[in-house]
Amino acid sequence: MLRRLTLRDFAVVSASELEFGPGMTVISGETGAGKSLLVDALGFLSGLRADAGMVRHGAPRAELHAEFDPVDAPAALEWLREQEFDDGQACTLRRTLRADGGSRAWINGRPATLAQLSQLAGLLVEIHGQHEHQALLERSSQLALLDAFGGHEVELAAVGAAAAQWNALLRERESLSRTGDVSERIDWLGHQIAELEREDLRPGAIDALVAGHRRQAHAAGLIAACDTALATLAGDDGPSLVHGLEQLRGGLSRERAHEPRLDEVDAMLDSAAIQVGEAALLLQRIRDDLDVDPAQFDILDATLARLHELARKHRVAPAELGERQAAFVRELESLRDAGTRLQGLDGEIAAASARWRDAADALGKARGAAASRLSQATTALIAELGMGGGRFEVALEPVEQQRPDPQGGERVEFLVSANAGQPPRPLRRVASGGELSRISLAIEVAALGSDAVPTMVFDEVDSGIGGAVAEIVGQKLRALGASRQVLCVTHLPQVAAQGHAHYRVSKADRDGLTHSAVERLDQKQRQEELARMLGGIEVSKEARAAARRLLGAAG
């Protein structure tokens, strides 16, 4: 719900901050004081087109800031996560309107587009009044409200799942159909696979081939180096290294008794002699493996050349040829199965369409029953709200389906007849703003909590009514406040008395400019404000007594 609304240099408001709680909050004030500016501010925070005329005269820009607690709006929290605007449980909307006509918007302190602002605000606040941005005028919102009222979550999920399956199967068939005649591709893949299968492409095989090729290419030099080293180690041209080390140890051993540290030297020389001996053995094995074999070299060279040619052909590194071969095998298997899969898909698509039709029929029946209940309940409330003879209908219109629709097989239109004898017309074409507001109130009260939007704003819903009807309007708004946060701009004391909290908007001239101020009223101030609304400029004792009675009855 809305926690805080801050305005700065907005119209005739220089600076104001309002805090809101649950239940019903009313906003009153003299004509022209700017009561509806709070509604206008929420409208701009909901993405309305910027209006430079709303910037206070002499100021460079107007600033609007709203802080919501989204705990009762899980859809808004999910939207914030999906759009990467999430910041824990924070949900703030900010917008500036510049005097030159431009504007900027932020969500949780991050720059946002007006479209994003509008999407998020639509999940948080719903404005009912005499303006074109009312959500209930949109047929998509009407359908959502009817489904929420009827509790159609299970039926909607079944319809959506059937439609999603049908679409997935259709996309698969279209993808397979686009491949056309795949015989040439199958032949080509078979040739490539056979060509690659003639080579050893196992992991490590190419590395071993490269090492073998390098060894053969340098075989003569390796043999010469090994022979020279073996001759030196064996002592062909003089004493061997091992023999020399033994002589060193013998000469030092005679003096070890006089210098204990020579024991450590002797151990090192002994270890060196062992290492030299092992090196000679390994060197001899390497030499025995070496052989200058031009034929073997030619075979290795030709194999390596073929691998490099294949790598260039398939535009991969030689070590990646095995992966390319596996990919070709997978594609070949999928193409060979394509014909069989296409034949099976036709039957699966028909079955998915039948499942969608069954689910859509069940949803349509449930919607029909819910539409009847909502129509009757709203019609009864319209009469209570001073529109005797008026009638409300929820019309279900079948839609010609080219493909399964996740929203079902029909659309909804809210129809209203404001007076007896008049044919019902779409709600969005109702001319009177006051009637439209009261009808919206009746719909919301009839649905009572079905709407997922947690904050509802009613602007001048009491226009053109008074007396007992005004008291009923107030009671209905208060009842709605039990399940939703309700903000109501009103000029009638019977409505204002029903609020759980009360703000008064007043205006004054200062330095030649008009300024509006907003203050929250305590119980005594509320009584004075209601008395003013009842009695006008001169507040009489009778007006104060009547105000006390209204507050007492509401409490």
Side-chain angles (χ1 to χ4, degrees), residues 154-163 352-367 405 408-410:
V154 174
E155 292 86 350
L156 267 174
V159 170
S353 181
R355 283 193 296 274
W356 177 85
R357 174 48 58 192
D358 291 342
D361 288 345
L363 176 60
K365 291 179 181 177
R367 281 173 171 168
D405 189 323
E410 55 277 317

Side-chain angles (χ1 to χ4, degrees), residues 504 519-529:
R504 178 177 61 203
E519 66 173 322
R520 183 164 181 155
L521 306 181
D522 59 24
Q523 190 70 6
K524 185 176 180 180
Q525 291 171 322
R526 287 192 71 183
Q527 180 179 309
E528 286 297 306
E529 174 65 3

Side-chain angles (χ1 to χ4, degrees), residues 382 387 391-393 414-418 423-427 430 439:
I382 287 176
M387 297 173 63
R391 188 169 81 256
F392 176 82
E393 295 180 9
F414 286 179
L415 304 177
V416 174
S417 172
R425 293 186 300 152
L427 178 63
V430 172
I439 292 169

Side-chain angles (χ1 to χ4, degrees), residues 185-195 197 328 332 336:
R185 181 68 177 175
I186 290 176
D187 293 341
W188 183 86
L189 287 170
H191 175 72
Q192 305 308 313
I193 293 170
E195 189 177 48
E197 285 178 341
F328 285 155
L332 181 60
R336 284 173 174 167

